[in-house]
Amino acid sequence: MNDFATARWCRSRRDGAVCTRPAGHAGLHNRMGTGQMWSDREADPAACPGSGASATAAPNLADGFPDSRALCEVCLDFVPLTDAGALEPHDAFRGARTPGEAADRAEWFNSFGWTR
C-alpha cells in the first residue's frame, strides 16, 4: 500500500459512488453515510465511459501540469489525447497517485477547473 492519503482507500465504485472503506477491506463495499453497499460483482468496471470522447488539452499551470492532457468530464482525470483529439482509453479516476499530483490538481481546479 502507498503512504499517501488518497491510496489508503478502496477504489471500487458503483453507479459513480466511491467506496469509503480502507484498501484491502473484507466484505461488502460501502459509501459511508449513504447506505449504499455492493459486492465486487456489482461494482462498476474500471474503464471510464468517457474514454474516446472528443476533448481538447487543458490549460497548463506554470509548472506544466497537466502536461497538455485533457480533463475527462466523466471521471475528472487528466487523460492523454489521441491524434484525432479524443480521450485515450483510461480507468475512471480514483484519486491522486502522489501528494504532488494532489496539490497540482487542487491548484489547477482552483485556477481553471470550477468554471469549465
Side-chain angles (χ1 to χ4, degrees), residues 7 9 14 16-17 35 44 46-47 51-52 56 59 61 66 74 80 86 108 112:
W9 305 105
R14 182 173 184 209
D44 294 343
S51 296
T56 58
L61 296 173
V74 175
W108 190 91
F112 303 108

Side-chain angles (χ1 to χ4, degrees), residues 9-73:
W9 305 105
C10 177
R11 295 180 179 236
S12 179
R13 291 178 181 236
R14 182 173 184 209
D15 299 329
V18 180
C19 179
T20 53
R21 296 188 69 193
H25 67 83
L28 294 173
H29 300 285
N30 179 20
R31 176 72 182 172
M32 187 167 41
T34 66
Q36 294 178 335
M37 298 183 81
W38 63 94
S39 69
D40 287 341
R41 283 187 22 200
E42 297 170 308
D44 294 343
C48 177
S51 296
S54 180
T56 58
N60 289 332
L61 296 173
D63 69 359
F65 183 86
D67 306 308
S68 299
R69 294 174 292 168
L71 180 67
C72 175
E73 298 290 334

